[in-house]
Amino acid sequence: MKIVSVVGARPNFMKIAPFIRSIEDHNRNNPGKLIEHTLVHTGQHYDDRMSQAFFKALNIPAADINLGVGSGTHAEQVGYTMIEFEKVIKKINPDWVVVLGDVNATLACVITAKKDHIKCCHIEAGLRSGDMRMPEEINRVVTDRLSDLLLIPDELSGSNLKKEGVPDSAIKFVGNIMIDTMDANMDKAKELKIDEIIRLNSIRKDRGMSSVNHKQGEIDSFKEDYALLTLHRPSNVDNREILEPIVHFLCDEVAASMKLIWTVHPRTEKQLKKFYLWEKVFSNDNIILLYPINYHEMLRLNMNARLILTDSGGLQGESSVLGTTCITLRWNTEWTITLREKGGTSVLTGNDIEKIKGEFRKALTIKSKAFRPELWDGKTAQRCLNEIIEFDRRDE
Ligand code: UD1
């Protein structure tokens, strides 16, 4: 069997690692039924810190093919990926194309493969935020509509697909593949020292300033409470009227009560500078500004954070499993299962400053409990591969 799997942007990399490992295990145990695997990187994320660092940290073999697509508008990214991926498909003629998540690479490659009559499998299918203004939601809906095998992370995703008319036989409940990676890397993450993570990734230090206001001698003992922040969605960072009050809240309230560790996405740094907000953040001694950090570093910071503020998708799930209170700066989520009312640790605030403040204050008084949804057991990748093999067996 020939499988081509596709990654493009940061959230794909941690999902592909266990899938590749399950193919390697299969090949070791079934020398007569080898799976020929080709890993394609579309190149949507290309900075070392957004891409290569993850391959290295998670021992992902270098991509066999890099399409070199880079930055651009959505149409440019999807268009260039389709043009280049079509060449790959023609050359390899795989039995399956496996795509993950909801990034532009996912959409572009599934359309291309399907038009060439290649079977498509979507890992992390069925997630819906219900918000068609989110580029990722468009990517999810189209990808699921075109995929032959839909591997879902939770039962709610199965209900979403059934409502859209997907037949039961195409939907398989496998659990959350990101948790495979989390479980496998927990011990390594625990060994990291927070001060060291800050020292290695500090934006301030890089620009000739002290990375963190610690006294010498305390350098390996970051014992303080801290909030962790990631922010990159266009809906939060592309508009000054939205970003400015968030920045004021972060500087005047969060950083006034504890240290704030902010891992800055390239898009966000550009926008902060454009709106002349960078100086305010940069000059606040209680805000620790970091470049995008690698997988283990983020896991380590999440484990120990007093709370996390984020607009990421994946961090909601990881925070729930770790038991970190998660204030999600989005109006909706595709990860409904991680919400507090479902047993998780996440709460939605959108970008309503009063709501964010209210939840922040509440978070200071509560302690969240870890929550692991069904089949988020670290064995999802194996089930994904089994379902692909089983699909072909049924088809024969
Ligand atoms: C993408 C995904 C999003 C995911 C996010 C995680 C889509 C539609 N969006 O959004 O689902 O949550 O990745 O990071 O696929 N840039 C760099 N270096 C890089 C990559 C990007 O400087 O390595 C800059 C680009 O110039 C661009 C901006 O960051 O201006 C945004 O990159 P882009 O790939 O368009 O989308 P993300 O916002 O990262």
Side-chain angles (χ1 to χ4, degrees):
M1 185 201 297
K2 278 198 239 175
I3 298 181
V4 166
S5 53
V6 179
V7 292
R10 185 171 59 178
N12 288 159
F13 306 139
M14 46 288 234
K15 295 169 196 166
I16 201 68
F19 185 67
I20 293 178
R21 214 141 294 138
S22 70
I23 295 179
E24 288 167 356
D25 288 346
H26 167 93
N27 285 349
R28 212 170 301 117
N29 299 327
N30 301 275
K33 290 184 182 166
L34 289 186
I35 294 175
E36 219 177 286
H37 179 243
T38 306
L39 180 62
V40 174
H41 187 336
T42 66
Q44 176 177 343
H45 282 176
Y46 46 86
D47 282 357
D48 196 29
R49 286 177 179 272
M50 298 292 284
S51 176
Q52 268 321 102
F54 286 81
F55 277 71
K56 211 167 132 207
L58 298 174
N59 279 325
I60 304 170
D64 299 291
I65 300 171
N66 192 314
L67 305 181
V69 166
S71 300
T73 64
H74 288 282
E76 283 166 349
Q77 283 185 344
V78 172
Y80 289 140
T81 304
M82 287 178 70
I83 293 167
E84 295 305 317
F85 192 61
E86 186 178 48
K87 296 176 195 162
V88 173
I89 291 292
K90 297 272 186 236
K91 191 165 155 219
I92 297 180
N93 190 26
D95 301 291
W96 284 93
V97 165
V98 174
V99 294
L100 308 135
D102 55 17
V103 300
N104 285 335
T106 313
L107 170 77
C109 293
V110 90
I111 296 176
T112 312
K114 196 64 192 165
K115 287 199 171 211
D116 257 319
H117 310 297
I118 311 289
K119 280 175 288 188
C120 295
C121 167
H122 184 203
I123 299 181
E124 235 182 46
L127 292 168
R128 295 289 180 271
S129 67
D131 179 1
M132 286 299 266
R133 289 178 56 83
M134 243 183 122
E136 292 84 354
E137 183 75 351
I138 300 168
N139 295 347
R140 288 179 206 118
V141 169
V142 178
T143 300
D144 286 343
R145 181 65 188 83
L146 296 181
S147 294
D148 301 276
L149 178 58
L150 297 134
L151 302 179
I152 57 171
D154 55 52
E155 298 278 22
L156 296 167
S157 301
S159 315
N160 293 337
L161 291 171
K162 283 174 202 163
K163 270 188 236 148
E164 292 173 16
V166 178
D168 278 0
S169 59
I171 305 170
K172 299 291 169 194
F173 179 27
V174 294
N176 186 347
I177 200 161
M178 273 182 59
I179 304 303
D180 289 22
T181 304
M182 203 175 101
D183 284 351
N185 289 280
M186 198 76 105
D187 289 344
K188 191 167 169 199
K190 276 184 192 155
E191 285 169 13
L192 299 180
K193 295 197 165 71
I194 293 174
D195 278 324
E196 187 66 0
I197 297 173
I198 293 171
R199 195 183 62 75
L200 288 172
N201 298 286
S202 167
I203 293 180
R204 276 209 190 83
K205 185 167 158 284
D206 212 27
R207 301 181 192 174
M209 299 170 71
S210 147
S211 55
V212 54
N213 290 341
H214 268 303
K215 292 187 206 88
Q216 280 298 326
E218 280 181 349
I219 211 72
D220 270 325
S221 56
F222 196 94
K223 295 271 189 291
E224 301 168 58
D225 265 0
Y226 62 89
L228 181 60
L229 169 71
T230 81
L231 200 67
H232 75 279
R233 288 211 175 268
S235 56
N236 282 331
V237 304
D238 281 6
N239 186 323
R240 186 188 183 122
E241 283 70 54
I242 292 171
L243 187 56
E244 190 166 13
I246 295 178
V247 167
H248 282 287
F249 158 72
L250 295 170
C251 293
D252 303 339
E253 184 147 353
V254 182
S257 27
M258 63 180 84
K259 287 262 190 282
L260 171 65
I261 303 184
W262 184 348
T263 63
V264 189
H265 187 283
R267 171 192 285 276
T268 310
E269 179 166 351
K270 273 185 211 160
Q271 294 305 108
L272 287 167
K273 287 178 176 160
K274 183 170 155 196
F275 300 143
Y276 302 104
L277 294 167
W278 181 250
E279 227 3 83
K280 184 172 171 74
V281 172
F282 196 78
S283 60
N284 189 313
D285 282 345
N286 251 4
I287 301 184
I288 299 170
L289 292 173
L290 304 184
Y291 291 109
I293 53 180
N294 76 28
Y295 183 80
H296 296 98
E297 293 169 334
M298 181 52 100
L299 185 53
R300 177 74 177 96
L301 291 185
N302 193 353
M303 254 177 228
N304 272 63
R306 180 79 182 76
L307 64 124
I308 179 162
L309 298 132
T310 188
D311 58 5
S312 138
L315 278 168
Q316 296 168 57
E318 289 167 341
S319 301
S320 277
V321 174
L322 291 172
T324 309
T325 303
C326 179
I327 301 177
T328 303
L329 277 70
R330 292 177 47 186
W331 293 109
N332 43 57
T333 181
E334 57 286 356
W335 290 104
T336 313
I337 193 142
T338 66
L339 291 176
R340 212 179 273 162
E341 59 264 32
K342 301 279 180 199
T345 65
S346 164
V347 60
L348 299 174
T349 59
N351 41 40
D352 179 327
I353 279 299
E354 290 314 312
K355 264 199 175 150
I356 300 172
K357 282 185 183 167
E359 286 302 334
F360 174 69
R361 286 168 197 162
K362 201 191 283 176
L364 299 180
T365 65
I366 58 165
K367 180 97 188 74
S368 293
K369 274 223 299 281
F371 170 64
R372 204 181 258 269
E374 194 185 347
L375 294 192
W376 291 27
D377 58 0
K379 300 188 181 110
T380 293
Q382 185 58 59
R383 284 190 284 268
C384 290
L385 188 61
N386 289 347
E387 290 298 348
I388 293 173
I389 294 169
E390 188 51 35
F391 188 104
D392 276 353
R393 212 171 278 151
R394 281 199 313 259
D395 235 19
E396 273 163 12

